[in-house]
Amino acid sequence: MRDPGHDGRVRLAAIDEAVACCKRCPRLVRWRAAVAIEPPRRFAGESYWARGVPGLGPADARIVIVGLAPAAHGGNRTGRIFTGDRSGDWLFRALHRAGLANQPVSTHRGDGLELIGTRITAVVHCAPPDNRPTPAERDRCLAHLVAELAVLERARAFVALGAFAWDGLLRAWRSAGEDVPRPAPRFAHGAEIVVGGRTLIGSYHPSQQNTFTGRLTEAMLDSVFARAVQAAGAGRRGGRGHARAAPARP
């Protein structure tokens, strides 16, 4: 295992720069720029990032959170993943309650937010129309996630926010040569699988569709991160391919 100190920071910075400069998906490049030109009234006059949005967090993170993609007026605007929208509000409050962030709010880059032993990334790094990347866009972006995971060698707990992230992370692991079971275990809130000594935990995405309807509650999200902290601290090894699905709590 490489030293995740200076070497890890340099490697991760190079990946983040490659993400920010990426133009592999013409549809997403057009969309991320178009929404910046005509933003909603509440963001009128703001300068949008309108590039690929890199992950956030240290190279020696023990916990990795994987989302779907940046929001058009969230990360695509601020340049920081999960920042500036309702989903991010839920996520950062939960991370702060779990002791994984130094503050419960993130509104823009440079606002003082620091993640503690945790990194946040995504399967797709550009905002897609209707939050729906195509399979081809997912596959083109997957190389960034594979490279990022190679740096995050100390991570022992992974949280997939939604089925797309669950599937994407399993695809990335399989692409990197990990022994992911076939057929892949299905996503569920609270589902777990251990791959190569890493525990993957499923969680409903903190989208407004889930939080406004009560499908995902703060208690449910807190439970997922408590389990992630436990799994990361235990440094669980072995048990490749073991899976367990837990029913979602109401």
Side-chain angles (χ1 to χ4, degrees), residues 5-94:
H6 176 73
D7 177 59
R9 290 191 296 272
V10 170
R11 293 167 65 206
L12 210 50
I15 293 167
D16 290 346
E17 181 61 23
V19 165
C21 296
C22 188
K23 296 182 179 179
R24 295 176 184 173
C25 302
R27 185 182 77 118
L28 301 189
V29 171
R30 290 193 300 269
W31 174 254
R32 71 193 191 189
V35 297
I37 293 171
E38 295 186 14
R41 183 176 300 176
R42 66 187 184 278
F43 299 129
E46 289 196 26
S47 177
Y48 274 55
W49 174 260
R51 302 166 68 192
V53 181
L56 174 68
D60 62 352
R62 300 278 294 180
I63 297 173
V64 177
I65 301 162
V66 183
L68 190 162
H73 303 291
N76 186 57
R77 174 174 59 89
T78 66
R80 176 186 281 170
I81 197 162
F82 268 103
T83 293
D85 62 10
R86 295 285 180 85
S87 296
D89 293 343
W90 264 69
L91 178 61
F92 289 116
R93 285 200 303 267

Side-chain angles (χ1 to χ4, degrees), residues 46-178:
E46 289 196 26
S47 177
Y48 274 55
W49 174 260
R51 302 166 68 192
V53 181
L56 174 68
D60 62 352
R62 300 278 294 180
I63 297 173
V64 177
I65 301 162
V66 183
L68 190 162
H73 303 291
N76 186 57
R77 174 174 59 89
T78 66
R80 176 186 281 170
I81 197 162
F82 268 103
T83 293
D85 62 10
R86 295 285 180 85
S87 296
D89 293 343
W90 264 69
L91 178 61
F92 289 116
R93 285 200 303 267
L95 292 177
H96 184 254
R97 290 192 299 268
L100 301 176
N102 69 327
Q103 61 190 45
V105 176
S106 179
T107 57
H108 61 275
R109 287 180 298 136
D111 62 9
L113 176 78
E114 293 183 9
L115 298 181
I116 302 166
T118 303
R119 184 165 173 89
I120 305 174
T121 188
V123 176
V124 173
H125 286 277
C126 290
D130 300 319
N131 292 319
R132 292 183 178 179
T134 67
E137 289 162 350
R138 174 203 63 201
D139 292 346
R140 282 193 290 268
C141 206
L142 212 59
H144 294 308
L145 182 58
V146 171
E148 193 172 7
L149 296 176
V151 178
L152 301 171
E153 295 173 308
R154 291 199 173 182
R156 284 296 172 265
F158 289 74
V159 176
L161 298 177
F164 189 94
W166 175 276
D167 174 73
L169 184 54
L170 293 179
R171 286 173 182 271
W173 275 336
R174 188 176 289 124
S175 176
E178 293 288 354

